[in-house]
Amino acid sequence: MKNKVDYQLELDQIRNVLGYDFMALALVESAEFDYVIKWKYASGNLNDRFKRIVLRSGRGIAGLVFKTGKPLLLSSVRNQVGLNHLFKYPIIKSEELASIGAVPLWNDARVAGVLLGGFRSGLQVNEERLEALKKYAQKGIGDLNGKELLLS
């Protein structure tokens, strides 16, 4: 019998080690004709609104990272997104984030999730912090193995 994966515990541990104010994990679910991405777990969250956010590939932070398979860095939401465009990024708005980094979570050469870390004030996500987030994602989280390439 397989143990149930405790994503919440892993997310709490990663947030504590890396020192983020907020951390969230979005997982991909297949929908009838496409994929949808949902924020499933959060640590350091202000509320549970993240659970109601449903994104399609290419939309929102999780959707962009899922579609491109590349990390996303917004060291200053105010300067890079602007307050008038926050509606495109509901997780930033609902969690009052000022700086975020998001990385793809790979599983057997496919993007299966997105790991996001953010700060509300003071500290900013920079290249160094994004790289640390990437290293955690590459180790694998839960039953996602972190493998971007499969060698045959």
Side-chain angles (χ1 to χ4, degrees), residues 4-15 22-29 37-53 62 91 95 97 105 112-118 141-144:
K4 187 175 181 302
V5 176
D6 193 344
Y7 285 105
Q8 187 64 54
L9 180 64
E10 279 195 65
L11 201 58
D12 290 340
Q13 289 171 340
I14 296 168
R15 183 175 73 88
F22 173 77
M23 190 155 274
L25 175 63
L27 296 174
V28 177
E29 298 178 355
I37 301 110
K38 293 182 181 180
W39 294 106
K40 292 288 200 178
Y41 303 93
S43 179
N45 46 310
L46 298 175
N47 54 57
D48 282 344
R49 282 188 228 151
F50 71 91
K51 292 179 180 175
R52 295 195 302 262
I53 299 171
I91 193 86
E95 288 297 329
L97 300 172
L105 274 171
V114 174
L115 181 64
L116 176 140
I141 294 176
D143 51 11
L144 305 178

Side-chain angles (χ1 to χ4, degrees), residues 30-72:
S30 61
E32 194 171 351
F33 299 108
D34 202 358
Y35 291 101
V36 294
I37 301 110
K38 293 182 181 180
W39 294 106
K40 292 288 200 178
Y41 303 93
S43 179
N45 46 310
L46 298 175
N47 54 57
D48 282 344
R49 282 188 228 151
F50 71 91
K51 292 179 180 175
R52 295 195 302 262
I53 299 171
V54 179
L55 302 164
R56 300 230 174 267
S57 178
R59 304 276 180 204
I61 292 162
L64 285 169
V65 173
F66 171 74
K67 183 178 180 179
T68 63
K70 293 181 171 35
L72 175 69

Side-chain angles (χ1 to χ4, degrees), residues 17 20 41 52 76 88 118:
V17 168
Y20 282 92
Y41 303 93
R52 295 195 302 262
S76 171
K88 295 178 184 175

